[in-house]
Amino acid sequence: MSKINFHFHSYYSDGTHTIPEIAKIINDEDNLKYVCLTDHDTVSGVEELQKLVSKTKIIPGIELTAKYDNNTFFHILGINVNPVKMMHFLMPYGKKYNKKFAKAFNKFKKDNGLVFNLNLNQFQKSPWINPWDFNKEMKRLGYFKNDTKNIEDMQSHGLNIPIKKVIAAIHKCGGIAIWAHPYHVFSYNDKKKQLSYGQIEAYLQKLIKWKIDGIEAYYYHFDDTQRNNLLKLADKKHLLISAGTDYHDKPDRPYGHTVGYELPDDVIEKIIKSLNLEN
């Protein structure tokens, strides 16, 4: 059997590994055919990874936090997007995000009587602030001990782009839009909400109207029943399927500890063909 992975993260978002570290892991992995770097709301690491990996095909990608309504956010994977076009699309949202983040930070300091200086630019690995790095530093300094009242909650919903625009942008950037881990969506403060099969099917009715291409049926910590239900649903709705581990290399995550997802070769061939990645 061979391996693929169309969903994993680096330190450009909430992963722990740098791009050179990830490249080494990929180069050392046997039978790893295709991988797609899908950092949250940025494609900053894609070009560097493509230069450093020798035997595995690197597909440019992204995982966008997409606003469904005021308290429901989906994660949508953009597979095989044009990185330059995607960054051009994201730029105005990123600038707005940075301003909102700075405003929230200043309010937090004022409300808590804080006078220390913290340069938010130090958290910009991509053109916008990385909230995970910011939160880590604030916790190191002794703040953000209450998970329900801090900037982490206020800023965890990404660049706040409506889901219809996210899907359209992925297509304009030449990519394929995939609903990531369909059993999970998120609330405004990034709390995970578990969906039933019926809820997934109901949400899909709207997503299909907005031209979603497929779903992540092979997700590393889904059980056999969940995976088989998603495969049947994809077939029923004529949707593409994708596979990913959601690799972060974080000790607090009980899944996604590998950059390669081992699957039968016929399954991989079907996924590669459906995602139009053969060439």
Side-chain angles (χ1 to χ4, degrees):
M1 293 198 295
S2 299
K3 303 169 189 173
I4 56 175
N5 193 358
F6 297 112
H7 187 175
F8 70 98
H9 301 273
S10 78
Y11 88 133
Y12 275 106
S13 60
D14 60 339
T16 58
H17 283 314
T18 64
I19 297 300
E21 288 170 338
I22 287 179
K24 185 180 186 307
I25 293 170
I26 292 172
N27 286 330
D28 290 345
E29 189 90 15
D30 292 329
N31 299 318
L32 183 55
K33 304 299 184 183
Y34 295 82
V35 297
C36 182
L37 180 62
T38 55
D39 274 316
H40 292 284
D41 302 319
T42 184
V43 290
S44 294
V46 170
E47 185 177 353
E48 183 183 0
L49 187 62
Q50 288 174 322
K51 292 177 180 178
L52 294 176
V53 170
S54 55
K55 60 182 181 179
T56 300
K57 185 168 184 180
I58 306 298
I59 307 298
I62 192 169
E63 183 173 14
L64 289 163
T65 301
K67 181 180 179 181
Y68 182 86
D69 58 35
N70 287 335
N71 196 42
T72 308
F73 294 81
F74 286 62
H75 286 179
I76 304 295
L77 299 170
I79 296 177
N80 207 21
V81 295
N82 181 299
V84 175
K85 291 182 178 180
M86 178 55 69
M87 288 300 283
H88 180 75
F89 164 74
L90 293 175
M91 196 61 69
Y93 294 99
K95 289 180 178 179
K96 184 183 296 185
Y97 175 84
N98 285 347
K99 289 180 180 179
K100 185 176 180 180
F101 199 106
K103 183 178 180 180
F105 180 49
N106 289 332
K107 183 178 184 302
F108 175 82
K109 290 194 294 182
K110 182 178 179 181
D111 291 347
N112 291 276
L114 304 179
V115 294
F116 68 90
N117 291 318
L118 190 65
N119 187 352
L120 294 179
N121 291 336
Q122 73 185 81
F123 305 110
Q124 289 185 232
K125 293 172 184 171
S126 67
W128 28 95
I129 296 165
N130 183 315
W132 299 278
D133 288 352
F134 171 81
N135 297 332
K136 183 178 179 180
E137 178 63 12
M138 289 294 286
K139 288 175 182 177
R140 187 189 71 80
L141 294 171
Y143 303 102
F144 288 2
K145 293 180 180 178
N146 183 344
D147 286 337
T148 63
K149 241 183 173 183
N150 54 45
I151 288 181
E152 182 177 23
D153 285 341
M154 287 186 280
Q155 300 298 332
S156 60
H157 52 288
L159 302 184
N160 204 29
I161 309 173
I163 192 167
K164 187 176 180 179
K165 288 187 177 181
V166 163
I167 295 171
I170 289 171
H171 291 156
K172 287 180 180 178
C173 293
I176 295 169
I178 299 290
W179 181 8
H181 40 67
Y183 279 96
H184 305 146
V185 294
F186 298 87
S187 63
Y188 181 83
N189 61 3
D190 208 30
K191 299 299 186 248
K192 186 185 292 184
K193 299 196 292 187
Q194 185 82 12
L195 299 183
S196 67
Y197 177 82
Q199 288 173 313
I200 293 172
E201 192 165 21
Y203 275 128
L204 266 178
Q205 295 302 318
K206 185 68 70 70
L207 293 180
I208 289 171
K209 289 182 181 178
W210 293 333
K211 310 298 183 184
I212 194 77
D213 296 302
I215 57 177
E216 190 176 37
Y218 290 94
Y219 184 63
Y220 203 71
H221 86 296
F222 284 169
D223 60 33
D224 290 344
T225 299
Q226 290 174 315
R227 182 175 63 250
N228 289 334
N229 282 341
L230 291 175
L231 289 171
K232 291 177 183 177
L233 185 58
D235 185 62
K236 176 182 177 182
K237 302 292 185 181
H238 307 291
L239 295 170
L240 307 180
I241 57 172
S242 186
T245 67
D246 204 1
Y247 176 80
H248 289 73
D249 192 44
K250 286 189 173 182
D252 61 334
R253 287 175 176 262
Y255 58 90
H257 294 305
T258 175
V259 78
Y261 196 149
E262 190 172 57
L263 292 166
D265 288 337
D266 61 327
V267 172
I268 290 180
E269 183 179 350
K270 180 180 179 180
I271 293 174
I272 296 304
K273 186 175 181 180
S274 70
L275 298 180
N276 197 28
L277 301 174
E278 293 172 296
N279 298 322

PDB file of all heavy atoms in Angstrom, residues 34 61 63 67 73 77 129 139 151 156 195 225 239 246 250 262:
ATOM      1  N   TYR A  34       1.748  11.616  -2.687  1.00  0.00           N
ATOM      2  CA  TYR A  34       1.276  12.999  -2.800  1.00  0.00           C
ATOM      3  C   TYR A  34       1.004  13.555  -1.399  1.00  0.00           C
ATOM      4  O   TYR A  34       0.459  12.856  -0.536  1.00  0.00           O
ATOM      5  CB  TYR A  34      -0.036  13.088  -3.580  1.00  0.00           C
ATOM      6  CG  TYR A  34       0.023  12.701  -5.027  1.00  0.00           C
ATOM      7  CD1 TYR A  34      -0.045  11.368  -5.415  1.00  0.00           C
ATOM      8  CD2 TYR A  34       0.104  13.673  -6.035  1.00  0.00           C
ATOM      9  CE1 TYR A  34      -0.019  11.005  -6.762  1.00  0.00           C
ATOM     10  CE2 TYR A  34       0.131  13.327  -7.369  1.00  0.00           C
ATOM     11  CZ  TYR A  34       0.072  11.990  -7.723  1.00  0.00           C
ATOM     12  OH  TYR A  34       0.088  11.632  -9.048  1.00  0.00           O
ATOM     13  N   GLY A  61      -1.843  23.925  -1.175  1.00  0.00           N
ATOM     14  CA  GLY A  61      -3.177  23.910  -0.581  1.00  0.00           C
ATOM     15  C   GLY A  61      -3.317  24.869   0.571  1.00  0.00           C
ATOM     16  O   GLY A  61      -2.388  25.584   0.955  1.00  0.00           O
ATOM     17  N   GLU A  63      -6.194  25.538   4.251  1.00  0.00           N
ATOM     18  CA  GLU A  63      -7.422  25.238   4.988  1.00  0.00           C
ATOM     19  C   GLU A  63      -8.007  26.563   5.471  1.00  0.00           C
ATOM     20  O   GLU A  63      -7.417  27.242   6.309  1.00  0.00           O
ATOM     21  CB  GLU A  63      -7.155  24.319   6.182  1.00  0.00           C
ATOM     22  CG  GLU A  63      -8.434  23.929   6.918  1.00  0.00           C
ATOM     23  CD  GLU A  63      -8.206  22.880   7.999  1.00  0.00           C
ATOM     24  OE1 GLU A  63      -7.041  22.646   8.370  1.00  0.00           O
ATOM     25  OE2 GLU A  63      -9.193  22.297   8.478  1.00  0.00           O
ATOM     26  N   LYS A  67     -17.076  31.180   7.238  1.00  0.00           N
ATOM     27  CA  LYS A  67     -18.241  31.550   8.042  1.00  0.00           C
ATOM     28  C   LYS A  67     -19.535  31.074   7.383  1.00  0.00           C
ATOM     29  O   LYS A  67     -19.876  31.496   6.282  1.00  0.00           O
ATOM     30  CB  LYS A  67     -18.276  33.067   8.224  1.00  0.00           C
ATOM     31  CG  LYS A  67     -19.429  33.576   9.068  1.00  0.00           C
ATOM     32  CD  LYS A  67     -19.367  35.088   9.189  1.00  0.00           C
ATOM     33  CE  LYS A  67     -20.522  35.636  10.008  1.00  0.00           C
ATOM     34  NZ  LYS A  67     -20.466  37.112  10.111  1.00  0.00           N
ATOM     35  N   PHE A  73     -18.803  27.842  11.913  1.00  0.00           N
ATOM     36  CA  PHE A  73     -17.678  27.997  10.991  1.00  0.00           C
ATOM     37  C   PHE A  73     -17.212  26.632  10.505  1.00  0.00           C
ATOM     38  O   PHE A  73     -17.050  25.705  11.303  1.00  0.00           O
ATOM     39  CB  PHE A  73     -16.527  28.742  11.672  1.00  0.00           C
ATOM     40  CG  PHE A  73     -16.858  30.164  12.007  1.00  0.00           C
ATOM     41  CD1 PHE A  73     -17.584  30.471  13.153  1.00  0.00           C
ATOM     42  CD2 PHE A  73     -16.480  31.202  11.164  1.00  0.00           C
ATOM     43  CE1 PHE A  73     -17.913  31.785  13.459  1.00  0.00           C
ATOM     44  CE2 PHE A  73     -16.811  32.515  11.459  1.00  0.00           C
ATOM     45  CZ  PHE A  73     -17.530  32.803  12.615  1.00  0.00           C
ATOM     46  N   LEU A  77     -10.977  22.904   2.742  1.00  0.00           N
ATOM     47  CA  LEU A  77      -9.660  22.702   2.146  1.00  0.00           C
ATOM     48  C   LEU A  77      -9.680  23.163   0.697  1.00  0.00           C
ATOM     49  O   LEU A  77     -10.607  22.848  -0.052  1.00  0.00           O
ATOM     50  CB  LEU A  77      -9.270  21.224   2.194  1.00  0.00           C
ATOM     51  CG  LEU A  77      -9.163  20.585   3.581  1.00  0.00           C
ATOM     52  CD1 LEU A  77      -9.011  19.070   3.447  1.00  0.00           C
ATOM     53  CD2 LEU A  77      -8.004  21.180   4.363  1.00  0.00           C
ATOM     54  N   ILE A 129      -1.371  38.240  11.370  1.00  0.00           N
ATOM     55  CA  ILE A 129      -0.934  37.769  12.679  1.00  0.00           C
ATOM     56  C   ILE A 129      -1.304  36.306  12.867  1.00  0.00           C
ATOM     57  O   ILE A 129      -2.419  35.880  12.559  1.00  0.00           O
ATOM     58  CB  ILE A 129      -1.581  38.631  13.783  1.00  0.00           C
ATOM     59  CG1 ILE A 129      -1.079  40.072  13.673  1.00  0.00           C
ATOM     60  CG2 ILE A 129      -1.290  38.065  15.171  1.00  0.00           C
ATOM     61  CD1 ILE A 129      -1.908  41.072  14.456  1.00  0.00           C
ATOM     62  N   LYS A 139       0.314  33.267  27.078  1.00  0.00           N
ATOM     63  CA  LYS A 139       0.228  32.285  28.164  1.00  0.00           C
ATOM     64  C   LYS A 139       1.568  32.133  28.864  1.00  0.00           C
ATOM     65  O   LYS A 139       1.637  31.945  30.085  1.00  0.00           O
ATOM     66  CB  LYS A 139      -0.262  30.949  27.600  1.00  0.00           C
ATOM     67  CG  LYS A 139      -1.736  30.972  27.217  1.00  0.00           C
ATOM     68  CD  LYS A 139      -2.179  29.681  26.550  1.00  0.00           C
ATOM     69  CE  LYS A 139      -3.645  29.761  26.149  1.00  0.00           C
ATOM     70  NZ  LYS A 139      -4.101  28.544  25.434  1.00  0.00           N
ATOM     71  N   ILE A 151      -8.406  37.075  24.043  1.00  0.00           N
ATOM     72  CA  ILE A 151      -8.301  37.355  22.613  1.00  0.00           C
ATOM     73  C   ILE A 151      -8.324  36.060  21.802  1.00  0.00           C
ATOM     74  O   ILE A 151      -8.773  36.048  20.664  1.00  0.00           O
ATOM     75  CB  ILE A 151      -7.032  38.173  22.329  1.00  0.00           C
ATOM     76  CG1 ILE A 151      -7.233  39.601  22.845  1.00  0.00           C
ATOM     77  CG2 ILE A 151      -6.699  38.211  20.839  1.00  0.00           C
ATOM     78  CD1 ILE A 151      -6.070  40.531  22.623  1.00  0.00           C
ATOM     79  N   SER A 156     -10.411  33.419  17.049  1.00  0.00           N
ATOM     80  CA  SER A 156     -10.199  32.044  16.623  1.00  0.00           C
ATOM     81  C   SER A 156     -10.962  31.658  15.361  1.00  0.00           C
ATOM     82  O   SER A 156     -10.813  30.549  14.872  1.00  0.00           O
ATOM     83  CB  SER A 156     -10.587  31.086  17.758  1.00  0.00           C
ATOM     84  OG  SER A 156     -11.946  31.273  18.098  1.00  0.00           O
ATOM     85  N   LEU A 195     -21.253  16.809  14.657  1.00  0.00           N
ATOM     86  CA  LEU A 195     -22.460  16.698  13.847  1.00  0.00           C
ATOM     87  C   LEU A 195     -22.899  15.251  13.709  1.00  0.00           C
ATOM     88  O   LEU A 195     -22.082  14.333  13.716  1.00  0.00           O
ATOM     89  CB  LEU A 195     -22.206  17.274  12.447  1.00  0.00           C
ATOM     90  CG  LEU A 195     -21.826  18.750  12.337  1.00  0.00           C
ATOM     91  CD1 LEU A 195     -21.683  19.135  10.866  1.00  0.00           C
ATOM     92  CD2 LEU A 195     -22.832  19.649  13.032  1.00  0.00           C
ATOM     93  N   THR A 225     -17.354   3.266  10.703  1.00  0.00           N
ATOM     94  CA  THR A 225     -18.746   3.621  10.429  1.00  0.00           C
ATOM     95  C   THR A 225     -18.840   5.041   9.870  1.00  0.00           C
ATOM     96  O   THR A 225     -19.546   5.278   8.874  1.00  0.00           O
ATOM     97  CB  THR A 225     -19.591   3.516  11.707  1.00  0.00           C
ATOM     98  OG1 THR A 225     -19.563   2.165  12.189  1.00  0.00           O
ATOM     99  CG2 THR A 225     -21.036   3.917  11.432  1.00  0.00           C
ATOM    100  N   LEU A 239     -20.056  13.555  -5.142  1.00  0.00           N
ATOM    101  CA  LEU A 239     -18.993  14.413  -4.645  1.00  0.00           C
ATOM    102  C   LEU A 239     -17.644  13.708  -4.717  1.00  0.00           C
ATOM    103  O   LEU A 239     -17.562  12.481  -4.655  1.00  0.00           O
ATOM    104  CB  LEU A 239     -19.275  14.797  -3.183  1.00  0.00           C
ATOM    105  CG  LEU A 239     -20.514  15.653  -2.941  1.00  0.00           C
ATOM    106  CD1 LEU A 239     -20.814  15.745  -1.455  1.00  0.00           C
ATOM    107  CD2 LEU A 239     -20.312  17.051  -3.522  1.00  0.00           C
ATOM    108  N   ASP A 246      -4.577  15.476   9.112  1.00  0.00           N
ATOM    109  CA  ASP A 246      -4.634  16.682   9.942  1.00  0.00           C
ATOM    110  C   ASP A 246      -3.410  16.753  10.861  1.00  0.00           C
ATOM    111  O   ASP A 246      -3.500  17.122  12.030  1.00  0.00           O
ATOM    112  CB  ASP A 246      -5.918  16.713  10.765  1.00  0.00           C
ATOM    113  CG  ASP A 246      -6.324  18.126  11.181  1.00  0.00           C
ATOM    114  OD1 ASP A 246      -5.612  19.075  10.799  1.00  0.00           O
ATOM    115  OD2 ASP A 246      -7.334  18.267  11.899  1.00  0.00           O
ATOM    116  N   LYS A 250       1.428  17.677  17.500  1.00  0.00           N
ATOM    117  CA  LYS A 250       1.204  18.248  18.830  1.00  0.00           C
ATOM    118  C   LYS A 250       0.883  17.124  19.807  1.00  0.00           C
ATOM    119  O   LYS A 250       0.043  16.264  19.527  1.00  0.00           O
ATOM    120  CB  LYS A 250       0.040  19.252  18.798  1.00  0.00           C
ATOM    121  CG  LYS A 250       0.392  20.562  18.122  1.00  0.00           C
ATOM    122  CD  LYS A 250      -0.720  21.565  18.320  1.00  0.00           C
ATOM    123  CE  LYS A 250      -0.308  22.934  17.794  1.00  0.00           C
ATOM    124  NZ  LYS A 250      -1.355  23.950  18.008  1.00  0.00           N
ATOM    125  N   GLU A 262      -1.779   5.795   4.998  1.00  0.00           N
ATOM    126  CA  GLU A 262      -1.648   4.569   4.209  1.00  0.00           C
ATOM    127  C   GLU A 262      -3.022   4.030   3.829  1.00  0.00           C
ATOM    128  O   GLU A 262      -3.876   3.808   4.688  1.00  0.00           O
ATOM    129  CB  GLU A 262      -0.871   3.507   5.000  1.00  0.00           C
ATOM    130  CG  GLU A 262      -0.482   2.301   4.167  1.00  0.00           C
ATOM    131  CD  GLU A 262       0.443   1.364   4.908  1.00  0.00           C
ATOM    132  OE1 GLU A 262       0.056   0.897   5.998  1.00  0.00           O
ATOM    133  OE2 GLU A 262       1.549   1.099   4.412  1.00  0.00           O
TER     134      GLU A 262
END
